[in-house]
Every structure is written in C-alpha cells, then in structure tokens.
Amino acid sequence: VVSISTDSRAVEKEDAYEQVKSVVDFFKDEDVKLFAKRIDSTLRGNIGAEISAILDNLSDDTYAVMVPSFPASGRVCIGGYLMVNQVPLEKTDVAKDPKTPVFTSKVTTLLEQQMEQKIGFVDLDKVLKSVETIESSVLSELENGCKVVIIDATTDEDISRIAKAVKNIDRNVISVDPGPFTSALAQEIIGEPNVELGQKVMLTVGSVSNLTRKQIEELKLKHSPLLVEVNARKLIYDDTNEDE
C-alpha cells in the first residue's frame, strides 16, 4: 500500500487537480490493483476536482464509487445526506471550518457543484437488500452515463456488501471514501495478506490526544510492544538530533 498526501484540501481547485494528476501520472503505468481517493470524513476540500483528476487520467471505462460513511467515527450516509453523530453535516462545527467550510449535507449536491462528470446515487433501501441488488443498481447508474456513484451506508456490514458488489462489476473502479470502503474493497480485490512469523510493524505516533493514549494502552495489553519515547525538542536541533 502506497499512501501519498497531496496537501490539496485548502488550495485552489485547479491546483488540487494538478497535484492529484501528478500522482496518477506517476503510478498509472505500474501494476496498481486499486487507486483510492481518501477524502475528509466531513467532506471538506476539493473532493470533486480530485476525483476528476483521477478519472480523467485513467482508462475511459474507469468509474468511481464514493461511500462517504465512517460508522466507527459516527459518520453515516442516509438518503444521500451525511450525518455526523446524528447531526446533519452542515449543522456541525466542522462545517464552519475557516479554510474549507461545507454548506450542504447532501453529498450529490456537493459533488455536482465541484465536478462536471455525471453523478449517480444508490440509496440505503437497495444497500440493505443484497449484494446483487447493489451490483445491479450501480450498473444501472453506469448505463445512464454516470462516472461517479455515491452509495448510502450506515454500518461496516453495509460497506462490506458494497465492496463485494463493486468487486463483481467487471470495470476499472476507484474508491472514494474516508477509509473503511477502500479497506473493504482492497480486501475483496487482493485477499487476505500472507502473515509469517517474524514480521514486524513499526508505528510512529505523533498525536497527543487522549484517544491516542487509550489506543497505545490497548496495544500494550494485546501485543507487548517495544515502546520508545522520543524527545521532539531534541530531535529538531542539530546538536542533539543524532543522539536522539
């Protein structure tokens, strides 16, 4: 997995397009199994321009599936409206962001304001029925000329069904979401990873939030990790950084 920050949320939309395009151009001739566009879970920034930058520079049959839900973080999409802990997005403090405010809770409206490609939508009623219903609904939107299909979801189980349906469609797809859908789709496409004894994971944790502290405590209980505390002040100065 290669994750690249394009630092394009708060720039002009034309600059955001070019910054994402440069990444696509760099990787598009490689053996990439899935291009994913990670988005802010409260839809801030140049989402439309960035999706366009990917679609415009991959094969013509490529389409995007956007699942804006992140159930574990209280973000769910119902009827095309993004709700944050049961509150419509536009009524939350996040929507008043001084650099990238959000003025609508309706995801289709937001994308239509930001991009020229035709936008489709699959509602929760279809998502709850079956993988086959989702698949046929997405195909119907594609046959109607849509290049982006937004799909409702309220649980991780919904997202898993969407991923299975999308995998069954024989067309190039990019995932657009705050994380869970890409994870589910990657698992469908790539399968379970090979795990071997002796493999290790290195984490660099720069957050000082209470949530991060709780997560580290949970990690200590489950995995007995080696924890090394780094003095950030010593790390930035030339006379101490090598020793640190």
Side-chain angles (χ1 to χ4, degrees):
V1 176
V2 180
S3 177
I4 299 174
S5 172
T6 54
D7 195 21
S8 52
R9 179 187 296 174
V11 301
E12 294 296 321
K13 64 181 181 180
E14 294 81 9
D15 295 330
Y17 182 99
E18 289 301 324
Q19 283 163 228
V20 173
K21 178 181 181 297
S22 68
V23 174
V24 176
D25 286 343
F26 185 87
F27 283 101
K28 67 181 180 182
D29 293 328
E30 301 296 328
D31 183 25
V32 177
K33 287 183 166 49
L34 175 67
F35 278 96
K37 175 70 198 83
R38 179 74 175 263
I39 61 172
D40 173 55
S41 67
T42 53
L43 306 182
R44 291 172 294 172
N46 295 293
I47 295 174
E50 294 175 358
I51 297 172
S52 295
I54 304 177
L55 291 175
D56 291 349
N57 294 284
L58 294 178
S59 60
D60 290 341
D61 69 336
T62 304
Y63 72 104
V65 169
M66 180 175 177
V67 183
S69 300
F70 197 153
S73 294
R75 279 79 164 142
V76 299
C77 193
I78 303 175
Y81 289 86
L82 187 65
M83 309 292 287
V84 180
N85 296 318
Q86 293 84 51
V87 177
L89 174 62
E90 66 201 87
K91 297 295 184 181
T92 65
D93 289 338
V94 177
K96 301 168 188 172
D97 185 278
K99 295 178 75 174
T100 54
V102 179
F103 301 108
T104 179
S105 306
K106 193 163 188 180
V107 187
T108 49
T109 299
L110 184 142
L111 274 200
E112 285 168 353
Q113 292 170 349
Q114 295 187 7
M115 62 193 304
E116 296 179 359
Q117 287 94 338
K118 189 174 180 181
I119 312 295
F121 172 64
V122 177
D123 64 29
L124 188 61
D125 178 58
K126 296 181 176 67
V127 171
L128 294 175
K129 285 180 179 174
S130 68
V131 170
E132 293 73 22
T133 302
I134 300 169
E135 182 182 346
S136 63
S137 300
V138 172
L139 283 169
S140 177
E141 296 296 275
L142 297 180
E143 288 166 3
N144 286 333
C146 296
K147 291 288 284 183
V148 181
V149 181
I150 298 165
I151 306 181
D152 275 348
T154 60
T155 66
D156 289 330
E157 289 75 17
D158 293 344
I159 293 172
S160 178
R161 280 196 299 278
I162 295 167
K164 292 179 188 299
V166 169
K167 194 228 179 201
N168 291 340
I169 297 172
D170 188 24
R171 285 181 59 172
N172 292 325
V173 65
I174 67 169
S175 57
V176 180
D177 74 309
F181 174 58
T182 291
S183 177
L185 185 58
Q187 191 167 334
E188 290 294 328
I189 293 172
I190 300 169
E192 293 289 339
N194 294 321
V195 178
E196 299 173 8
L197 288 175
Q199 289 184 324
K200 295 176 175 61
V201 176
M202 178 179 175
L203 304 176
T204 305
V205 184
S207 171
V208 294
S209 71
N210 286 330
L211 177 60
T212 298
R213 294 179 193 278
K214 289 178 182 177
Q215 289 173 333
I216 290 174
E217 290 303 314
E218 190 74 17
L219 191 69
K220 286 163 66 176
L221 289 171
K222 290 185 176 179
H223 296 288
S224 302
L226 170 65
L227 291 173
V228 179
E229 291 193 12
V230 177
N231 185 314
R233 187 180 297 275
K234 288 183 178 180
L235 199 63
I236 36 181
Y237 291 112
D238 292 339
D239 57 340
T240 54
N241 74 336
E242 189 169 336
D243 286 341
E244 190 60 26

